[in-house]
Each structure stands twice: as structure tokens, then as C-alpha cells.
Coordinates of all heavy atoms in Angstrom, one line a residue:
A1119 N -13.1 11.6 2.6 CA -13.5 12.9 2.4 C -12.4 14.0 2.3 O -12.6 15.1 2.1 CB -14.5 13.3 3.6
L1120 N -11.2 13.5 2.6 CA -10.0 14.5 2.5 C -9.9 15.0 1.1 O -10.1 14.3 0.1 CB -8.8 13.8 3.0 CG -8.7 13.3 4.4 CD1 -7.4 12.6 4.7 CD2 -8.8 14.6 5.3
P1121 N -9.4 16.3 0.9 CA -9.3 16.8 -0.4 C -8.4 16.1 -1.3 O -8.6 16.0 -2.5 CB -8.7 18.2 -0.1 CG -9.2 18.6 1.3 CD -9.2 17.2 2.0
A1122 N -7.3 15.4 -0.7 CA -6.4 14.6 -1.6 C -7.1 13.5 -2.4 O -6.5 13.1 -3.4 CB -5.3 14.1 -0.7
F1123 N -8.2 13.0 -1.9 CA -8.8 11.9 -2.5 C -10.2 12.4 -3.2 O -11.0 11.5 -3.6 CB -9.2 10.8 -1.5 CG -8.0 10.4 -0.7 CD1 -7.9 10.5 0.6 CD2 -6.8 9.8 -1.4 CE1 -6.8 10.2 1.4 CE2 -5.7 9.5 -0.7 CZ -5.7 9.6 0.7
N1124 N -10.3 13.7 -3.4 CA -11.6 14.2 -3.9 C -11.2 15.4 -4.9 O -11.7 16.5 -4.7 CB -12.5 14.7 -2.9 CG -13.2 13.6 -2.1 OD1 -14.2 13.0 -2.6 ND2 -12.7 13.2 -1.0
P1125 N -10.5 15.1 -6.0 CA -10.2 16.2 -7.0 C -11.6 16.5 -7.7 O -12.5 15.7 -7.7 CB -9.2 15.5 -7.9 CG -9.4 14.1 -7.7 CD -9.7 13.9 -6.3
P1126 N -11.7 17.7 -8.2 CA -13.0 18.2 -8.7 C -13.6 17.3 -9.9 O -14.8 17.3 -10.1 CB -12.8 19.6 -9.1 CG -11.2 19.7 -9.3 CD -10.7 18.7 -8.3
D1127 N -12.7 16.7 -10.7 CA -13.2 16.0 -11.9 C -13.3 14.5 -11.8 O -13.1 13.8 -12.7 CB -12.4 16.4 -13.1 CG -10.9 16.2 -12.8 OD1 -10.5 15.9 -11.6 OD2 -10.1 16.2 -13.8
T1128 N -13.5 14.0 -10.6 CA -13.5 12.5 -10.4 C -14.8 11.9 -10.9 O -15.9 12.6 -10.7 CB -13.3 12.1 -8.9 OG1 -14.2 12.8 -8.1 CG2 -11.8 12.5 -8.5
E1129 N -14.7 10.7 -11.4 CA -15.9 10.0 -11.7 C -16.0 8.7 -10.9 O -15.2 8.5 -9.9 CB -15.9 9.6 -13.2 CG -15.9 10.8 -14.1 CD -16.0 10.4 -15.6 OE1 -16.5 9.3 -15.9 OE2 -15.6 11.2 -16.5
G1130 N -16.9 7.8 -11.2 CA -17.1 6.6 -10.3 C -15.9 5.7 -10.1 O -15.6 5.4 -9.0
Q1131 N -15.1 5.5 -11.2 CA -14.0 4.6 -11.1 C -12.9 5.3 -10.3 O -12.1 4.7 -9.6 CB -13.5 4.1 -12.5 CG -14.5 3.2 -13.2 CD -14.2 3.0 -14.6 OE1 -13.1 3.3 -15.0 NE2 -15.1 2.4 -15.3
D1132 N -12.8 6.6 -10.6 CA -11.8 7.4 -9.8 C -12.1 7.3 -8.3 O -11.2 7.2 -7.5 CB -11.8 8.9 -10.2 CG -11.3 9.0 -11.7 OD1 -10.3 8.3 -12.0 OD2 -11.9 9.7 -12.4
K1133 N -13.4 7.4 -7.9 CA -13.8 7.4 -6.5 C -13.4 6.0 -5.9 O -13.1 5.9 -4.7 CB -15.2 7.7 -6.4 CG -15.5 9.2 -6.8 CD -17.0 9.5 -6.6 CE -17.3 11.0 -7.0 NZ -18.7 11.3 -6.9
R1134 N -13.7 4.9 -6.7 CA -13.3 3.6 -6.1 C -11.8 3.5 -5.8 O -11.4 3.0 -4.8 CB -13.7 2.5 -7.1 CG -15.2 2.2 -7.2 CD -15.5 1.1 -8.1 NE -15.0 -0.2 -7.6 CZ -15.1 -1.3 -8.3 NH1 -15.7 -1.3 -9.5 NH2 -14.6 -2.4 -7.8
A1135 N -11.0 4.0 -6.8 CA -9.6 4.0 -6.6 C -9.2 4.9 -5.4 O -8.3 4.5 -4.6 CB -8.9 4.4 -7.9
A1136 N -9.8 6.1 -5.3 CA -9.5 7.0 -4.3 C -9.8 6.3 -2.9 O -9.1 6.5 -1.9 CB -10.3 8.3 -4.4
G1137 N -10.9 5.5 -2.8 CA -11.2 4.8 -1.6 C -10.2 3.8 -1.2 O -9.9 3.6 0.0
R1138 N -9.5 3.2 -2.2 CA -8.4 2.2 -1.9 C -7.2 3.0 -1.3 O -6.6 2.5 -0.3 CB -8.0 1.5 -3.1 CG -7.0 0.4 -2.9 CD -7.2 -0.8 -3.9 NE -8.4 -1.5 -3.6 CZ -9.3 -1.7 -4.6 NH1 -9.1 -1.5 -5.8 NH2 -10.5 -2.3 -4.3
F1139 N -6.8 4.1 -1.9 CA -5.8 4.9 -1.4 C -6.1 5.5 0.0 O -5.2 5.6 0.9 CB -5.4 6.0 -2.4 CG -4.6 5.5 -3.5 CD1 -5.2 5.3 -4.8 CD2 -3.2 5.2 -3.4 CE1 -4.5 4.9 -5.9 CE2 -2.5 4.8 -4.5 CZ -3.1 4.6 -5.7
A1140 N -7.4 5.8 0.2 CA -7.8 6.3 1.6 C -7.6 5.2 2.6 O -7.2 5.4 3.8 CB -9.2 6.8 1.5
L1141 N -7.9 4.0 2.2 CA -7.6 2.8 3.1 C -6.2 2.6 3.5 O -5.9 2.4 4.6 CB -8.2 1.5 2.5 CG -8.0 0.2 3.3 CD1 -8.8 0.2 4.6 CD2 -8.3 -1.0 2.5
L1142 N -5.3 2.9 2.5 CA -3.9 2.8 2.8 C -3.5 3.9 3.7 O -2.6 3.7 4.6 CB -3.1 2.9 1.5 CG -3.3 1.8 0.5 CD1 -2.4 2.0 -0.8 CD2 -2.9 0.4 1.1
A1143 N -4.1 5.1 3.5 CA -3.7 6.2 4.5 C -4.2 5.8 5.9 O -3.4 6.1 6.9 CB -4.4 7.5 4.0
L1144 N -5.4 5.2 6.0 CA -5.9 4.9 7.4 C -5.0 3.8 8.0 O -4.6 3.9 9.1 CB -7.3 4.3 7.2 CG -7.9 3.6 8.4 CD1 -7.9 4.6 9.6 CD2 -9.3 3.1 8.1
A1145 N -4.6 2.8 7.2 CA -3.8 1.7 7.7 C -2.4 2.3 8.2 O -1.9 1.9 9.3 CB -3.6 0.7 6.6
G1146 N -1.8 3.1 7.4 CA -0.5 3.7 7.7 C -0.5 4.6 9.0 O 0.3 4.5 9.8
E1147 N -1.6 5.4 9.0 CA -1.7 6.3 10.2 C -2.0 5.5 11.4 O -1.6 5.9 12.5 CB -2.8 7.4 9.9 CG -2.6 8.3 8.7 CD -1.3 9.1 9.0 OE1 -0.8 9.3 10.1 OE2 -0.8 9.7 8.0
L1148 N -2.8 4.4 11.3 CA -3.1 3.6 12.5 C -1.9 2.9 13.0 O -1.7 2.9 14.2 CB -4.2 2.6 12.0 CG -5.0 1.9 13.2 CD1 -5.7 3.0 14.0 CD2 -6.0 1.0 12.6
A1149 N -1.0 2.4 12.1 CA 0.2 1.7 12.5 C 1.1 2.7 13.1 O 1.9 2.4 14.1 CB 0.9 1.1 11.3
T1150 N 1.1 4.0 12.7 CA 1.9 5.0 13.3 C 1.4 5.4 14.7 O 2.1 5.5 15.7 CB 1.9 6.3 12.4 OG1 2.5 6.0 11.2 CG2 2.7 7.4 13.0
E1151 N 0.0 5.5 14.8 CA -0.6 5.8 16.1 C -0.3 4.7 17.1 O -0.1 4.9 18.3 CB -2.1 5.9 15.9 CG -2.8 6.1 17.2 CD -4.4 6.0 17.0 OE1 -4.8 6.5 16.0 OE2 -5.0 5.5 17.9
Y1152 N -0.2 3.4 16.7 CA 0.1 2.3 17.6 C 1.6 2.2 17.9 O 2.0 1.4 18.7 CB -0.3 1.0 16.9 CG -1.8 0.7 16.7 CD1 -2.3 -0.2 15.9 CD2 -2.7 1.5 17.5 CE1 -3.6 -0.5 15.8 CE2 -4.1 1.3 17.3 CZ -4.5 0.3 16.5 OH -5.9 0.1 16.3
G1153 N 2.4 3.1 17.4 CA 3.8 3.1 17.7 C 4.6 2.1 17.0 O 5.7 1.7 17.5
I1154 N 4.2 1.6 15.9 CA 4.9 0.5 15.2 C 5.8 1.0 14.2 O 6.9 0.5 14.1 CB 3.8 -0.4 14.5 CG1 3.0 -1.1 15.6 CG2 4.5 -1.4 13.7 CD1 1.8 -1.8 15.1
T1155 N 5.4 2.0 13.4 CA 6.3 2.5 12.3 C 7.3 3.6 12.6 O 8.4 3.6 12.0 CB 5.4 3.1 11.1 OG1 4.7 4.2 11.6 CG2 4.4 2.0 10.7
G1156 N 6.9 4.4 13.6 CA 7.8 5.6 13.9 C 7.8 6.7 12.9 O 8.6 7.6 12.9
W1157 N 6.8 6.7 12.0 CA 6.6 7.7 10.9 C 6.0 9.0 11.6 O 5.3 8.9 12.6 CB 5.7 7.3 9.8 CG 6.2 6.1 9.1 CD1 7.5 5.7 8.9 CD2 5.4 5.1 8.3 NE1 7.6 4.6 8.1 CE2 6.4 4.2 7.8 CE3 4.1 5.0 8.1 CZ2 5.9 3.1 7.0 CZ3 3.7 3.9 7.4 CH2 4.5 3.0 6.8
P1158 N 6.3 10.1 11.0 CA 5.6 11.3 11.5 C 4.1 11.2 11.2 O 3.7 10.6 10.2 CB 6.2 12.5 10.6 CG 7.5 11.9 10.0 CD 7.3 10.4 9.9
E1159 N 3.4 11.9 11.9 CA 1.9 11.9 11.8 C 1.6 12.6 10.4 O 2.1 13.6 10.1 CB 1.2 12.7 12.9 CG -0.3 12.6 12.8 CD -0.9 13.4 14.0 OE1 -0.3 13.5 15.1 OE2 -2.1 13.8 13.9
G1160 N 0.7 11.9 9.6 CA 0.4 12.5 8.3 C 1.2 12.0 7.2 O 0.9 12.2 6.0
A1161 N 2.3 11.2 7.4 CA 3.2 10.8 6.4 C 2.5 9.8 5.5 O 2.6 9.8 4.3 CB 4.4 10.2 7.0
A1162 N 1.7 8.9 6.1 CA 1.0 7.8 5.3 C -0.1 8.5 4.4 O -0.3 8.1 3.3 CB 0.4 6.8 6.3

């Protein structure tokens, strides 16, 4: 639901791709929260 993955002119295939990038964001932020990556919060 973040704005980065919901541009105004998206269609069905765009939304499927956006969901995949959202999963990457979740995975990266989770690894950061667990203290594994050392990245700043929000970098992923």
C-alpha cells in the first residue's frame, strides 16, 4: 500500500510486479530489524 508501489496509472501486471518489489522491501527491512544487514531503516 506504500505510495512507491502504487503510481496512479498502474494496471494489473504493474500491480503484480509492484507486489514483488514490496516483498523485497519487506525482506530487506526484516533482515535489518533482525540486526543482520546493518542498513539504515528504510534503505530496503
Side-chain angles (χ1 to χ4, degrees):
L1120 294 175
F1123 308 118
N1124 285 280
D1127 54 347
T1128 55
E1129 297 188 24
Q1131 292 170 14
D1132 294 316
K1133 291 179 180 178
R1134 284 183 67 183
R1138 184 150 295 130
F1139 282 102
L1141 176 67
L1142 296 180
L1144 169 61
E1147 296 297 344
L1148 200 59
T1150 300
E1151 178 188 323
Y1152 290 164
I1154 296 168
T1155 64
W1157 297 335
E1159 184 178 338

